[in-house]
Amino acid sequence: MKTEAASVQSRNDEALPNVLDLCRSALGAAERLVESARYAVGKRVLTGNKADGAAMETHQFAAHGYAWLATCAAALRQMLHWTESLARAGHFSALEQLMLQIAFGEYLAQMAGGIAMSQTEVVRPSDIGLEQDALDAFRTRDVGMLIARGNTAAARTRLWALLATSGIPDDPLEDETLALVRNQFRRFAAEKIAPHAQDWHRGDMLIPLELIHEMAELGVFGLTLPEEWGGLAMGKRAMCIVTEELSRASLAVGSL
């Protein structure tokens, strides 16, 4: 049986030390890999500085794979940006740390070994034209650490436990209007959607029209439309925030 001290040590081992520095270093390696992939794919599909249509058709799998690789790196960049902003504000807790290292561990592993673009398509580094020297340069000590220890079963289990007890991760919005929008739709989702979502799902029911009308009155379906067309002209970030809050209560409602 584990002693109490050993149990505490086990929990601590789930979180990597100096995770922000680790992720900054790994992000640099990921971005260099993307540049190598861009060069490799460019040799196949570019004529001068322009994409060649016929070459793009011939090498569409490589071009598609490059887009996925670049997207993974962009996701890691934004994930790190989010957690760095939390750290500056003094809100970087164990919950956000585990989310960060799990995301880096998973995406770095996919970038190194293969990205699942669909259930039947996996793009490997060689498909994009990446040479072994580029992959060796990518696999730095910090990248290896995050792949090996960032996204472990223990880290995921600990994250779920924190989500169950601490609630949602911190995400302070600097824009006061967007913060008000998020709070409004979080309340709306908690009061009008969450209590019924499971019954709708189990009964394979359509979303009630009354709820859709209420959402329409709140402007859900015109968030990004210009005001002269009857919209709210709030932009895509507002749309993402509203979608996130509705999906928190019901993915089916959020998908509307």
Side-chain angles (χ1 to χ4, degrees):
M1 176 179 287
K2 288 184 178 181
T3 65
E4 182 176 352
S7 178
V8 170
Q9 182 62 44
S10 176
R11 290 198 299 272
N12 289 341
D13 285 345
E14 293 149 11
L16 294 175
N18 303 316
V19 69
L20 287 174
D21 289 335
L22 274 176
C23 290
R24 290 186 191 107
S25 171
L27 178 61
E31 290 177 332
R32 290 190 293 273
L33 185 69
V34 170
E35 280 303 306
S36 296
R38 182 176 182 271
Y39 177 74
V41 174
K43 288 195 299 183
R44 300 182 184 185
V45 304
L46 296 180
T47 300
N49 292 324
K50 294 184 178 181
D52 180 278
M56 286 288 289
E57 181 70 20
T58 301
H59 301 290
Q60 59 177 292
F61 190 72
H64 191 194
Y66 164 70
W68 274 85
L69 186 77
T71 299
C72 285
L76 294 180
R77 189 182 312 116
Q78 293 303 320
M79 192 78 182
L80 180 59
H81 173 74
W82 169 60
T83 49
E84 285 177 330
S85 67
L86 291 178
R88 288 192 296 270
H91 297 158
F92 186 46
S93 71
L95 175 64
E96 290 83 21
Q97 175 175 341
L98 285 168
M99 290 179 66
L100 177 67
Q101 72 177 55
I102 288 169
F104 265 77
E106 175 62 27
Y107 277 19
L108 291 171
Q110 289 191 30
M111 293 174 76
I115 301 172
M117 301 190 297
S118 72
Q119 291 181 320
T120 58
E121 286 185 303
V122 176
V123 62
R124 311 291 182 189
S126 58
D127 296 322
I128 305 174
L130 285 167
E131 302 290 346
Q132 189 60 47
D133 58 348
L135 292 172
D136 290 342
F138 169 65
R139 283 185 169 276
T140 64
R141 181 190 67 84
D142 293 338
V143 168
M145 171 76 76
L146 284 161
I147 290 177
R149 293 182 54 197
N151 182 24
T152 62
R156 294 191 298 272
T157 300
R158 180 62 178 152
L159 175 61
W160 278 113
L162 289 172
L163 287 169
T165 57
S166 305
I168 61 178
D170 198 347
D171 185 18
L173 293 172
E174 297 176 0
D175 188 306
E176 185 176 343
T177 299
L178 291 178
L180 290 172
V181 168
R182 182 173 66 181
N183 292 337
Q184 177 188 19
F185 280 95
R186 185 168 294 179
R187 289 193 302 270
F188 177 81
E191 294 172 5
K192 300 295 183 71
I193 301 173
H196 313 290
Q198 191 75 304
D199 291 336
W200 296 337
H201 174 68
R202 288 177 173 170
D204 196 22
M205 299 165 61
L206 296 175
I207 305 303
L209 281 176
E210 294 81 3
L211 179 67
I212 293 176
H213 290 321
E214 285 190 68
M215 291 166 59
E217 290 174 0
L218 290 172
V220 168
F221 305 115
L223 283 168
T224 61
L225 292 177
E227 292 180 0
E228 59 266 31
W229 293 350
L232 299 178
M234 296 193 69
K236 291 184 178 180
R237 193 176 182 197
M239 180 184 69
C240 291
I241 289 169
V242 170
T243 301
E244 185 178 66
E245 294 305 324
L246 295 175
S247 299
R248 192 189 306 281
S250 166
L251 189 59
V253 176
S255 68
L256 294 176

